[in-house]
């Protein structure tokens, strides 16, 4: 069934997120369409959904795989009044929201791979792409793009994604309603978004507890360099602390992490 604003809004319990909902048949990227809405003055929480994207994008210019009608693809306009240090909390809130929606719908445990992938059983089920505008060094507008894999089976996945990706239908072993996923996602994002100002401790705690990588050996690629180490600490604002084989520790900020692979712990 197609996603419509009416079907999502029915029984949607949010205060800000989803205040205005736009559902498109097709667009290049819901992030682009949300930018257009935002620049035309759309209110905080405006959300754009699409059945299909012809140029869906991921972080670092990667393309986002989502055959028509098989995913929840959306972008949310957020206009928080926050200090620049708190900017990473936007991504953290979106990752928490996607993880909670996945758990809610599929009844399986969802974890966050730093900085913003949502995994089930080690495979990616949702991705987040946050874009922002700053005015005089102050964050002023965010477009939070979220893609949740819902309805495709393993055979629908291209060979190179078969091991790395999964969907709610695969994990649940049954059909999943995209309307329910969309609602669960908006409701969870609405809750976390309202914590951004006062609930720093709550976001940090929930995000750390959901980490897929704490205590794990990982290979991190950032700013053109690759580092292997064990994750000693992880925090949405401070980033991660890696203990290298040499014994040295290194801090890595989320926005610089291009790729993070989990390795077998020795
Ligand atoms: C990533 O894992 O690299 C982020 C993927 C983000 C994909 C979503 S789908 C909806 C929104 N529109 C886009 O073009 N990208 C995001």
């Amino acid at each position: 069934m197609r996603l419509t604003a009416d079907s999502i809004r029915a029984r949607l319990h949010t205060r800000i997120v989803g205040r205005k909902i736009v559902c498109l048949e097709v667009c290049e990227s819901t992030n682009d369409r949300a930018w257009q809405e935002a620049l035309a003055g759309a209110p905080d929480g405006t959300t754009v959904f699409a059945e299909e994207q012809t140029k869906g994008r991921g972080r670092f210019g990667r393309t986002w795989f989502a055959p028509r009608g098989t995913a929840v693809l959306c972008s949310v306009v957020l206009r928080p009044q926050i200090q620049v240090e708190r900017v990473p909390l936007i991504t953290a809130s979106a990752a928490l929201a996607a993880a909670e929606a996945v758990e809610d719908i599929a009844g399986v445990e969802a974890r966050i791979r730093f900085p913003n992938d949502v995994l089930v059983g080690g495979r990616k089920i949702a991705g987040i792409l946050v874009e922002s505008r700053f005015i005089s060094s102050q964050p002023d507008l965010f477009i939070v793009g979220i893609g949740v894999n819902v309805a495709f089976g393993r055979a629908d996945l291209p060979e190179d994604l078969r091991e790395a990706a999964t969907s709610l239908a695969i994990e649940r072993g049954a059909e999943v309603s995209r309307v329910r996923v969309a609602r669960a996602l908006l409701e969870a994002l609405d809750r976390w978004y309202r914590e951004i100002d006062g609930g720093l401790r709550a976001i940090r705690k929930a995000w750390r507890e959901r980490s897929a990588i704490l205590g794990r050996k990982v290979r991190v690629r950032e700013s053109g360099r690759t580092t292997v180490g064990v994750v000693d600490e992880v925090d949405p604002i401070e980033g991660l602390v890696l203990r290298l084989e040499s014994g040295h520790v290194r801090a890595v900020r989320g926005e610089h992490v291009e790729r993070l692979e989990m390795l077998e712990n020795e």
Side-chain angles (χ1 to χ4, degrees), residues 202-235:
I203 298 184
R204 281 188 141 143
K205 182 168 181 287
W207 194 83
R208 187 179 186 277
E209 282 172 1
R210 276 204 186 271
S211 176
I213 63 166
L214 195 56
R216 291 284 308 257
K217 186 172 179 186
V218 297
R219 182 184 295 124
V220 184
R221 197 178 139 76
E222 34 103 34
S223 314
R225 110 169 115 170
T226 301
T227 315
V228 173
V230 174
V231 179
D232 263 356
E233 198 41 85
V234 61
D235 179 84

PDB file of all heavy atoms in Angstrom, residues 202-235:
ATOM      1  N   ALA A 202      20.057  11.684  28.935  1.00  0.00           N
ATOM      2  CA  ALA A 202      19.197  10.577  28.470  1.00  0.00           C
ATOM      3  C   ALA A 202      19.607  10.124  27.074  1.00  0.00           C
ATOM      4  O   ALA A 202      19.691   8.921  26.795  1.00  0.00           O
ATOM      5  CB  ALA A 202      17.739  11.028  28.476  1.00  0.00           C
ATOM      6  N   ILE A 203      19.885  11.074  26.192  1.00  0.00           N
ATOM      7  CA  ILE A 203      20.284  10.702  24.822  1.00  0.00           C
ATOM      8  C   ILE A 203      21.616   9.963  24.867  1.00  0.00           C
ATOM      9  O   ILE A 203      21.784   8.909  24.256  1.00  0.00           O
ATOM     10  CB  ILE A 203      20.413  11.946  23.906  1.00  0.00           C
ATOM     11  CG1 ILE A 203      19.060  12.648  23.774  1.00  0.00           C
ATOM     12  CG2 ILE A 203      20.942  11.552  22.532  1.00  0.00           C
ATOM     13  CD1 ILE A 203      19.053  13.826  22.824  1.00  0.00           C
ATOM     14  N   ARG A 204      22.567  10.509  25.622  1.00  0.00           N
ATOM     15  CA  ARG A 204      23.892   9.886  25.698  1.00  0.00           C
ATOM     16  C   ARG A 204      23.795   8.447  26.192  1.00  0.00           C
ATOM     17  O   ARG A 204      24.397   7.539  25.650  1.00  0.00           O
ATOM     18  CB  ARG A 204      24.784  10.673  26.667  1.00  0.00           C
ATOM     19  CG  ARG A 204      25.354  11.912  26.058  1.00  0.00           C
ATOM     20  CD  ARG A 204      26.356  12.530  26.992  1.00  0.00           C
ATOM     21  NE  ARG A 204      27.484  13.052  26.248  1.00  0.00           N
ATOM     22  CZ  ARG A 204      28.110  14.178  26.576  1.00  0.00           C
ATOM     23  NH1 ARG A 204      27.727  14.887  27.615  1.00  0.00           N
ATOM     24  NH2 ARG A 204      29.139  14.584  25.871  1.00  0.00           N
ATOM     25  N   LYS A 205      23.001   8.272  27.250  1.00  0.00           N
ATOM     26  CA  LYS A 205      22.886   6.957  27.872  1.00  0.00           C
ATOM     27  C   LYS A 205      22.240   5.962  26.897  1.00  0.00           C
ATOM     28  O   LYS A 205      22.756   4.864  26.666  1.00  0.00           O
ATOM     29  CB  LYS A 205      22.043   7.092  29.147  1.00  0.00           C
ATOM     30  CG  LYS A 205      21.872   5.831  29.940  1.00  0.00           C
ATOM     31  CD  LYS A 205      21.275   6.149  31.312  1.00  0.00           C
ATOM     32  CE  LYS A 205      21.100   4.904  32.156  1.00  0.00           C
ATOM     33  NZ  LYS A 205      20.008   4.049  31.719  1.00  0.00           N
ATOM     34  N   ALA A 206      21.105   6.368  26.304  1.00  0.00           N
ATOM     35  CA  ALA A 206      20.384   5.456  25.399  1.00  0.00           C
ATOM     36  C   ALA A 206      21.254   5.103  24.201  1.00  0.00           C
ATOM     37  O   ALA A 206      21.299   3.958  23.750  1.00  0.00           O
ATOM     38  CB  ALA A 206      19.092   6.119  24.942  1.00  0.00           C
ATOM     39  N   TRP A 207      21.964   6.087  23.711  1.00  0.00           N
ATOM     40  CA  TRP A 207      22.781   5.895  22.506  1.00  0.00           C
ATOM     41  C   TRP A 207      23.959   4.973  22.801  1.00  0.00           C
ATOM     42  O   TRP A 207      24.279   4.074  22.030  1.00  0.00           O
ATOM     43  CB  TRP A 207      23.251   7.276  22.047  1.00  0.00           C
ATOM     44  CG  TRP A 207      23.804   7.329  20.673  1.00  0.00           C
ATOM     45  CD1 TRP A 207      23.106   7.438  19.509  1.00  0.00           C
ATOM     46  CD2 TRP A 207      25.177   7.303  20.315  1.00  0.00           C
ATOM     47  NE1 TRP A 207      23.967   7.481  18.449  1.00  0.00           N
ATOM     48  CE2 TRP A 207      25.238   7.399  18.918  1.00  0.00           C
ATOM     49  CE3 TRP A 207      26.371   7.203  21.035  1.00  0.00           C
ATOM     50  CZ2 TRP A 207      26.440   7.405  18.212  1.00  0.00           C
ATOM     51  CZ3 TRP A 207      27.565   7.205  20.345  1.00  0.00           C
ATOM     52  CH2 TRP A 207      27.604   7.308  18.950  1.00  0.00           C
ATOM     53  N   ARG A 208      24.587   5.165  23.963  1.00  0.00           N
ATOM     54  CA  ARG A 208      25.725   4.317  24.354  1.00  0.00           C
ATOM     55  C   ARG A 208      25.256   2.880  24.565  1.00  0.00           C
ATOM     56  O   ARG A 208      25.901   1.930  24.155  1.00  0.00           O
ATOM     57  CB  ARG A 208      26.347   4.882  25.635  1.00  0.00           C
ATOM     58  CG  ARG A 208      27.616   4.211  26.071  1.00  0.00           C
ATOM     59  CD  ARG A 208      28.138   4.885  27.334  1.00  0.00           C
ATOM     60  NE  ARG A 208      29.438   4.355  27.704  1.00  0.00           N
ATOM     61  CZ  ARG A 208      29.598   3.239  28.389  1.00  0.00           C
ATOM     62  NH1 ARG A 208      28.550   2.534  28.766  1.00  0.00           N
ATOM     63  NH2 ARG A 208      30.820   2.811  28.674  1.00  0.00           N
ATOM     64  N   GLU A 209      24.095   2.738  25.216  1.00  0.00           N
ATOM     65  CA  GLU A 209      23.578   1.388  25.486  1.00  0.00           C
ATOM     66  C   GLU A 209      23.231   0.636  24.207  1.00  0.00           C
ATOM     67  O   GLU A 209      23.216  -0.576  24.189  1.00  0.00           O
ATOM     68  CB  GLU A 209      22.330   1.474  26.383  1.00  0.00           C
ATOM     69  CG  GLU A 209      22.710   1.706  27.827  1.00  0.00           C
ATOM     70  CD  GLU A 209      21.514   1.987  28.734  1.00  0.00           C
ATOM     71  OE1 GLU A 209      20.365   1.983  28.255  1.00  0.00           O
ATOM     72  OE2 GLU A 209      21.761   2.238  29.928  1.00  0.00           O
ATOM     73  N   ARG A 210      22.929   1.383  23.166  1.00  0.00           N
ATOM     74  CA  ARG A 210      22.590   0.738  21.889  1.00  0.00           C
ATOM     75  C   ARG A 210      23.801   0.524  21.000  1.00  0.00           C
ATOM     76  O   ARG A 210      23.665   0.073  19.862  1.00  0.00           O
ATOM     77  CB  ARG A 210      21.608   1.613  21.123  1.00  0.00           C
ATOM     78  CG  ARG A 210      20.221   1.392  21.542  1.00  0.00           C
ATOM     79  CD  ARG A 210      19.256   1.767  20.457  1.00  0.00           C
ATOM     80  NE  ARG A 210      17.926   1.663  20.980  1.00  0.00           N
ATOM     81  CZ  ARG A 210      17.216   0.551  20.934  1.00  0.00           C
ATOM     82  NH1 ARG A 210      17.686  -0.528  20.353  1.00  0.00           N
ATOM     83  NH2 ARG A 210      16.019   0.519  21.452  1.00  0.00           N
ATOM     84  N   SER A 211      24.966   0.883  21.460  1.00  0.00           N
ATOM     85  CA  SER A 211      26.138   0.804  20.591  1.00  0.00           C
ATOM     86  C   SER A 211      26.443  -0.635  20.175  1.00  0.00           C
ATOM     87  O   SER A 211      26.464  -1.547  20.994  1.00  0.00           O
ATOM     88  CB  SER A 211      27.363   1.382  21.309  1.00  0.00           C
ATOM     89  OG  SER A 211      28.494   1.197  20.476  1.00  0.00           O
ATOM     90  N   ALA A 212      26.694  -0.794  18.859  1.00  0.00           N
ATOM     91  CA  ALA A 212      27.076  -2.114  18.342  1.00  0.00           C
ATOM     92  C   ALA A 212      28.576  -2.322  18.494  1.00  0.00           C
ATOM     93  O   ALA A 212      29.071  -3.431  18.284  1.00  0.00           O
ATOM     94  CB  ALA A 212      26.691  -2.209  16.867  1.00  0.00           C
ATOM     95  N   ILE A 213      29.324  -1.267  18.857  1.00  0.00           N
ATOM     96  CA  ILE A 213      30.783  -1.359  18.720  1.00  0.00           C
ATOM     97  C   ILE A 213      31.557  -1.208  20.024  1.00  0.00           C
ATOM     98  O   ILE A 213      32.782  -1.400  20.027  1.00  0.00           O
ATOM     99  CB  ILE A 213      31.301  -0.300  17.710  1.00  0.00           C
ATOM    100  CG1 ILE A 213      31.021   1.118  18.210  1.00  0.00           C
ATOM    101  CG2 ILE A 213      30.705  -0.519  16.339  1.00  0.00           C
ATOM    102  CD1 ILE A 213      31.791   2.178  17.459  1.00  0.00           C
ATOM    103  N   LEU A 214      30.880  -0.855  21.105  1.00  0.00           N
ATOM    104  CA  LEU A 214      31.602  -0.657  22.369  1.00  0.00           C
ATOM    105  C   LEU A 214      32.312  -1.956  22.762  1.00  0.00           C
ATOM    106  O   LEU A 214      31.688  -3.020  22.806  1.00  0.00           O
ATOM    107  CB  LEU A 214      30.594  -0.244  23.441  1.00  0.00           C
ATOM    108  CG  LEU A 214      31.150   0.357  24.728  1.00  0.00           C
ATOM    109  CD1 LEU A 214      32.017   1.577  24.444  1.00  0.00           C
ATOM    110  CD2 LEU A 214      29.995   0.745  25.651  1.00  0.00           C
ATOM    111  N   GLY A 215      33.622  -1.867  22.985  1.00  0.00           N
ATOM    112  CA  GLY A 215      34.397  -3.059  23.354  1.00  0.00           C
ATOM    113  C   GLY A 215      34.801  -3.921  22.166  1.00  0.00           C
ATOM    114  O   GLY A 215      35.477  -4.929  22.334  1.00  0.00           O
ATOM    115  N   ARG A 216      34.398  -3.499  20.958  1.00  0.00           N
ATOM    116  CA  ARG A 216      34.707  -4.305  19.772  1.00  0.00           C
ATOM    117  C   ARG A 216      35.944  -3.777  19.070  1.00  0.00           C
ATOM    118  O   ARG A 216      36.261  -2.593  19.110  1.00  0.00           O
ATOM    119  CB  ARG A 216      33.533  -4.244  18.776  1.00  0.00           C
ATOM    120  CG  ARG A 216      32.283  -4.953  19.224  1.00  0.00           C
ATOM    121  CD  ARG A 216      32.386  -6.449  19.096  1.00  0.00           C
ATOM    122  NE  ARG A 216      32.795  -6.908  17.778  1.00  0.00           N
ATOM    123  CZ  ARG A 216      31.963  -7.419  16.865  1.00  0.00           C
ATOM    124  NH1 ARG A 216      30.683  -7.518  17.134  1.00  0.00           N
ATOM    125  NH2 ARG A 216      32.409  -7.827  15.691  1.00  0.00           N
ATOM    126  N   LYS A 217      36.620  -4.699  18.374  1.00  0.00           N
ATOM    127  CA  LYS A 217      37.732  -4.289  17.520  1.00  0.00           C
ATOM    128  C   LYS A 217      37.143  -3.790  16.205  1.00  0.00           C
ATOM    129  O   LYS A 217      36.269  -4.444  15.627  1.00  0.00           O
ATOM    130  CB  LYS A 217      38.639  -5.494  17.266  1.00  0.00           C
ATOM    131  CG  LYS A 217      39.894  -5.164  16.511  1.00  0.00           C
ATOM    132  CD  LYS A 217      40.810  -6.365  16.466  1.00  0.00           C
ATOM    133  CE  LYS A 217      42.059  -6.025  15.694  1.00  0.00           C
ATOM    134  NZ  LYS A 217      42.918  -7.191  15.505  1.00  0.00           N
ATOM    135  N   VAL A 218      37.589  -2.631  15.763  1.00  0.00           N
ATOM    136  CA  VAL A 218      37.015  -2.046  14.541  1.00  0.00           C
ATOM    137  C   VAL A 218      38.119  -1.485  13.635  1.00  0.00           C
ATOM    138  O   VAL A 218      39.226  -1.189  14.098  1.00  0.00           O
ATOM    139  CB  VAL A 218      36.023  -0.891  14.873  1.00  0.00           C
ATOM    140  CG1 VAL A 218      34.829  -1.388  15.658  1.00  0.00           C
ATOM    141  CG2 VAL A 218      36.722   0.250  15.612  1.00  0.00           C
ATOM    142  N   ARG A 219      37.769  -1.350  12.362  1.00  0.00           N
ATOM    143  CA  ARG A 219      38.647  -0.641  11.425  1.00  0.00           C
ATOM    144  C   ARG A 219      37.890   0.608  10.995  1.00  0.00           C
ATOM    145  O   ARG A 219      36.762   0.506  10.500  1.00  0.00           O
ATOM    146  CB  ARG A 219      38.954  -1.522  10.213  1.00  0.00           C
ATOM    147  CG  ARG A 219      39.904  -0.841   9.231  1.00  0.00           C
ATOM    148  CD  ARG A 219      40.135  -1.655   7.973  1.00  0.00           C
ATOM    149  NE  ARG A 219      40.812  -2.901   8.246  1.00  0.00           N
ATOM    150  CZ  ARG A 219      40.343  -4.100   7.908  1.00  0.00           C
ATOM    151  NH1 ARG A 219      39.192  -4.207   7.282  1.00  0.00           N
ATOM    152  NH2 ARG A 219      41.008  -5.206   8.194  1.00  0.00           N
ATOM    153  N   VAL A 220      38.481   1.764  11.232  1.00  0.00           N
ATOM    154  CA  VAL A 220      37.805   3.036  10.950  1.00  0.00           C
ATOM    155  C   VAL A 220      38.531   3.768   9.838  1.00  0.00           C
ATOM    156  O   VAL A 220      39.751   3.925   9.880  1.00  0.00           O
ATOM    157  CB  VAL A 220      37.821   3.949  12.207  1.00  0.00           C
ATOM    158  CG1 VAL A 220      37.042   5.224  11.950  1.00  0.00           C
ATOM    159  CG2 VAL A 220      37.237   3.230  13.404  1.00  0.00           C
ATOM    160  N   ARG A 221      37.769   4.237   8.863  1.00  0.00           N
ATOM    161  CA  ARG A 221      38.356   5.055   7.806  1.00  0.00           C
ATOM    162  C   ARG A 221      37.830   6.477   7.964  1.00  0.00           C
ATOM    163  O   ARG A 221      36.619   6.702   7.947  1.00  0.00           O
ATOM    164  CB  ARG A 221      37.934   4.491   6.459  1.00  0.00           C
ATOM    165  CG  ARG A 221      38.749   4.947   5.317  1.00  0.00           C
ATOM    166  CD  ARG A 221      38.254   4.285   4.038  1.00  0.00           C
ATOM    167  NE  ARG A 221      38.263   5.256   2.975  1.00  0.00           N
ATOM    168  CZ  ARG A 221      39.376   5.656   2.358  1.00  0.00           C
ATOM    169  NH1 ARG A 221      40.532   5.126   2.684  1.00  0.00           N
ATOM    170  NH2 ARG A 221      39.317   6.569   1.414  1.00  0.00           N
ATOM    171  N   GLU A 222      38.720   7.391   8.212  1.00  0.00           N
ATOM    172  CA  GLU A 222      38.300   8.802   8.363  1.00  0.00           C
ATOM    173  C   GLU A 222      39.375   9.714   7.816  1.00  0.00           C
ATOM    174  O   GLU A 222      40.564   9.442   7.987  1.00  0.00           O
ATOM    175  CB  GLU A 222      37.988   9.154   9.827  1.00  0.00           C
ATOM    176  CG  GLU A 222      38.812   8.478  10.888  1.00  0.00           C
ATOM    177  CD  GLU A 222      39.895   9.349  11.490  1.00  0.00           C
ATOM    178  OE1 GLU A 222      39.688  10.557  11.621  1.00  0.00           O
ATOM    179  OE2 GLU A 222      40.957   8.788  11.836  1.00  0.00           O
ATOM    180  N   SER A 223      38.916  10.742   7.119  1.00  0.00           N
ATOM    181  CA  SER A 223      39.800  11.735   6.517  1.00  0.00           C
ATOM    182  C   SER A 223      40.968  11.058   5.785  1.00  0.00           C
ATOM    183  O   SER A 223      42.133  11.441   5.969  1.00  0.00           O
ATOM    184  CB  SER A 223      40.329  12.701   7.577  1.00  0.00           C
ATOM    185  OG  SER A 223      39.290  13.136   8.415  1.00  0.00           O
ATOM    186  N   GLY A 224      40.663  10.038   5.009  1.00  0.00           N
ATOM    187  CA  GLY A 224      41.677   9.380   4.177  1.00  0.00           C
ATOM    188  C   GLY A 224      42.611   8.447   4.918  1.00  0.00           C
ATOM    189  O   GLY A 224      43.546   7.915   4.337  1.00  0.00           O
ATOM    190  N   ARG A 225      42.395   8.242   6.218  1.00  0.00           N
ATOM    191  CA  ARG A 225      43.307   7.336   6.917  1.00  0.00           C
ATOM    192  C   ARG A 225      42.545   6.215   7.619  1.00  0.00           C
ATOM    193  O   ARG A 225      41.402   6.401   8.041  1.00  0.00           O
ATOM    194  CB  ARG A 225      44.190   8.147   7.852  1.00  0.00           C
ATOM    195  CG  ARG A 225      43.963   7.985   9.329  1.00  0.00           C
ATOM    196  CD  ARG A 225      45.084   8.641  10.071  1.00  0.00           C
ATOM    197  NE  ARG A 225      44.536   9.763  10.829  1.00  0.00           N
ATOM    198  CZ  ARG A 225      45.234  10.425  11.730  1.00  0.00           C
ATOM    199  NH1 ARG A 225      46.491  10.144  11.942  1.00  0.00           N
ATOM    200  NH2 ARG A 225      44.681  11.400  12.407  1.00  0.00           N
ATOM    201  N   THR A 226      43.188   5.059   7.705  1.00  0.00           N
ATOM    202  CA  THR A 226      42.522   3.895   8.286  1.00  0.00           C
ATOM    203  C   THR A 226      43.207   3.522   9.597  1.00  0.00           C
ATOM    204  O   THR A 226      44.428   3.448   9.660  1.00  0.00           O
ATOM    205  CB  THR A 226      42.586   2.707   7.301  1.00  0.00           C
ATOM    206  OG1 THR A 226      41.946   3.114   6.101  1.00  0.00           O
ATOM    207  CG2 THR A 226      41.879   1.478   7.846  1.00  0.00           C
ATOM    208  N   THR A 227      42.398   3.304  10.634  1.00  0.00           N
ATOM    209  CA  THR A 227      42.946   2.960  11.943  1.00  0.00           C
ATOM    210  C   THR A 227      42.232   1.727  12.468  1.00  0.00           C
ATOM    211  O   THR A 227      41.012   1.612  12.344  1.00  0.00           O
ATOM    212  CB  THR A 227      42.686   4.108  12.959  1.00  0.00           C
ATOM    213  OG1 THR A 227      43.007   5.340  12.343  1.00  0.00           O
ATOM    214  CG2 THR A 227      43.502   3.933  14.223  1.00  0.00           C
ATOM    215  N   VAL A 228      42.999   0.827  13.076  1.00  0.00           N
ATOM    216  CA  VAL A 228      42.402  -0.346  13.705  1.00  0.00           C
ATOM    217  C   VAL A 228      42.598  -0.219  15.212  1.00  0.00           C
ATOM    218  O   VAL A 228      43.672   0.143  15.686  1.00  0.00           O
ATOM    219  CB  VAL A 228      43.054  -1.647  13.177  1.00  0.00           C
ATOM    220  CG1 VAL A 228      42.545  -2.865  13.952  1.00  0.00           C
ATOM    221  CG2 VAL A 228      42.773  -1.815  11.693  1.00  0.00           C
ATOM    222  N   GLY A 229      41.546  -0.509  15.954  1.00  0.00           N
ATOM    223  CA  GLY A 229      41.674  -0.447  17.414  1.00  0.00           C
ATOM    224  C   GLY A 229      40.434  -1.000  18.084  1.00  0.00           C
ATOM    225  O   GLY A 229      39.469  -1.385  17.411  1.00  0.00           O
ATOM    226  N   VAL A 230      40.505  -1.031  19.406  1.00  0.00           N
ATOM    227  CA  VAL A 230      39.350  -1.503  20.176  1.00  0.00           C
ATOM    228  C   VAL A 230      38.625  -0.274  20.723  1.00  0.00           C
ATOM    229  O   VAL A 230      39.263   0.669  21.202  1.00  0.00           O
ATOM    230  CB  VAL A 230      39.807  -2.434  21.324  1.00  0.00           C
ATOM    231  CG1 VAL A 230      38.634  -2.809  22.230  1.00  0.00           C
ATOM    232  CG2 VAL A 230      40.455  -3.685  20.746  1.00  0.00           C
ATOM    233  N   VAL A 231      37.284  -0.289  20.642  1.00  0.00           N
ATOM    234  CA  VAL A 231      36.498   0.881  21.065  1.00  0.00           C
ATOM    235  C   VAL A 231      36.373   0.877  22.589  1.00  0.00           C
ATOM    236  O   VAL A 231      35.705   0.046  23.179  1.00  0.00           O
ATOM    237  CB  VAL A 231      35.104   0.865  20.408  1.00  0.00           C
ATOM    238  CG1 VAL A 231      34.293   2.062  20.882  1.00  0.00           C
ATOM    239  CG2 VAL A 231      35.234   0.841  18.901  1.00  0.00           C
ATOM    240  N   ASP A 232      37.040   1.838  23.200  1.00  0.00           N
ATOM    241  CA  ASP A 232      37.023   1.959  24.661  1.00  0.00           C
ATOM    242  C   ASP A 232      35.817   2.745  25.149  1.00  0.00           C
ATOM    243  O   ASP A 232      35.290   2.516  26.211  1.00  0.00           O
ATOM    244  CB  ASP A 232      38.280   2.719  25.121  1.00  0.00           C
ATOM    245  CG  ASP A 232      39.364   1.751  25.551  1.00  0.00           C
ATOM    246  OD1 ASP A 232      39.106   0.532  25.552  1.00  0.00           O
ATOM    247  OD2 ASP A 232      40.472   2.227  25.878  1.00  0.00           O
ATOM    248  N   GLU A 233      35.437   3.752  24.366  1.00  0.00           N
ATOM    249  CA  GLU A 233      34.314   4.598  24.782  1.00  0.00           C
ATOM    250  C   GLU A 233      33.633   5.131  23.539  1.00  0.00           C
ATOM    251  O   GLU A 233      34.262   5.292  22.486  1.00  0.00           O
ATOM    252  CB  GLU A 233      34.844   5.751  25.654  1.00  0.00           C
ATOM    253  CG  GLU A 233      33.809   6.438  26.500  1.00  0.00           C
ATOM    254  CD  GLU A 233      32.789   5.490  27.147  1.00  0.00           C
ATOM    255  OE1 GLU A 233      33.073   4.936  28.224  1.00  0.00           O
ATOM    256  OE2 GLU A 233      31.708   5.319  26.555  1.00  0.00           O
ATOM    257  N   VAL A 234      32.343   5.392  23.654  1.00  0.00           N
ATOM    258  CA  VAL A 234      31.609   5.939  22.516  1.00  0.00           C
ATOM    259  C   VAL A 234      30.560   6.923  23.038  1.00  0.00           C
ATOM    260  O   VAL A 234      29.875   6.654  24.013  1.00  0.00           O
ATOM    261  CB  VAL A 234      31.019   4.790  21.665  1.00  0.00           C
ATOM    262  CG1 VAL A 234      30.052   3.931  22.437  1.00  0.00           C
ATOM    263  CG2 VAL A 234      30.359   5.301  20.420  1.00  0.00           C
ATOM    264  N   ASP A 235      30.520   8.074  22.370  1.00  0.00           N
ATOM    265  CA  ASP A 235      29.613   9.130  22.826  1.00  0.00           C
ATOM    266  C   ASP A 235      29.176   9.945  21.601  1.00  0.00           C
ATOM    267  O   ASP A 235      30.004  10.219  20.731  1.00  0.00           O
ATOM    268  CB  ASP A 235      30.370  10.039  23.817  1.00  0.00           C
ATOM    269  CG  ASP A 235      29.495  11.165  24.315  1.00  0.00           C
ATOM    270  OD1 ASP A 235      28.727  10.952  25.262  1.00  0.00           O
ATOM    271  OD2 ASP A 235      29.574  12.277  23.734  1.00  0.00           O
TER     272      ASP A 235
END
